[in-house]
Amino acid sequence: MNRDTSPDVERMQLTWAREAPAWRKLQMLAQLNRTVLTLAWHGLRERHPTATPAELRRLFAALPLGAELAARVYPETRDMSESMSEAEPLAVTLAVIDILDALHVPYLIGGSLASGIYGMIRSTLDADIVADLQVEHVAPLVSALQNQFYVDEGAIYEAIRYRGSFNLLHLATMFKVVLFLPKGRPYDEAEFQRRTQRVVATDPERTAYVASAEDTILTKLEWYRLGGEVSERQWRDILSILKTQSGALDIAYLRKWAQELGVKDLLELALGAASA
């Protein structure tokens, strides 16, 4: 999967990925993310040695957001005292899930967090959640989120109307949660029917609904195609799940829905690459 990894080392990594529980892999992902963010923060501080913590926070926010949006997210009056490392990706994701649960909104975790459970972990600056939000959920959702997240109420209404997506940005860490609306296709119904409840954290134990391994592959194949078939990260995620879950996947299900989603050729290419 990676040009800089020998076959023997990759086999050892895949064995670990196959045997490690979901909570341990997500724990390691959080540690990896903290390291990446800490290094980025220290690099920014070295480039701006006289900047105050508040100024550094805005500079950090401007990297992915641009100066104008960063100023909106972090106005002069906002308290920026919270450490970059105080909230982990999973903790941020679970905070959103707690709100969805309270509103009785069906959801599932997908994207890189799901692929990290089923395949190899990698750092990520966002989490993907599919949530069946309705118009009546918007006001209480915004009210529950607005103290911890940057949230655009208009973007939520637009996502519901067009069955698209919107972003939530955790103000303390710049970690992004992307909420996708199910498109109402037969496949989306099948994906929700096959979601599984997994232990994603311990001490205390927490569970959450996660897309199945097969649906994680199919969604990533869709995104890979929509992105022009150039994303090495998406392709590696797909191969890592196929390799790690070898023998445990429902290939007939994969082929059925890959045909429906218009990615059958990509699936066959990935299956061939994973078995090579």
Side-chain angles (χ1 to χ4, degrees), residues 139-213:
L141 179 69
V142 171
S143 176
L145 288 168
Q146 60 189 358
N147 289 333
Q148 295 185 67
F149 293 84
Y150 173 77
V151 53
D152 184 335
E153 185 172 349
I156 302 177
Y157 281 115
E158 185 174 347
I160 292 173
R161 180 180 180 184
Y162 295 106
R163 313 311 292 175
S165 65
F166 63 93
N167 296 165
L168 304 174
L169 190 67
H170 189 251
L171 297 171
T173 62
M174 285 290 98
F175 188 76
K176 181 176 67 175
V177 179
V178 186
L179 267 71
F180 294 87
L181 278 292
K183 293 180 172 59
R185 304 170 298 181
Y187 169 68
D188 298 282
E189 296 177 11
E191 182 182 29
F192 264 88
Q193 290 172 1
R194 298 178 81 254
R195 63 179 181 161
T196 60
Q197 201 165 30
R198 307 292 297 264
V199 175
V200 295
T202 58
D203 195 28
E205 182 174 294
R206 287 293 310 271
T207 62
Y209 284 106
V210 181
S212 70

Side-chain angles (χ1 to χ4, degrees), residues 73-124:
V73 173
Y74 287 107
E76 295 291 339
T77 55
R78 184 178 293 282
D79 179 12
M80 299 184 183
S81 59
E82 188 175 352
S83 166
M84 290 294 294
S85 63
E86 285 182 6
E88 299 177 350
L90 184 61
V92 174
T93 306
L94 289 174
V96 176
I97 285 172
D98 284 342
I99 295 169
L100 295 176
D101 277 335
L103 297 176
H104 305 290
V105 175
Y107 76 89
L108 60 86
I109 297 173
S112 56
L113 292 185
S115 66
I117 289 173
Y118 298 117
M120 298 296 297
I121 62 170
R122 63 169 172 83
S123 63
T124 179

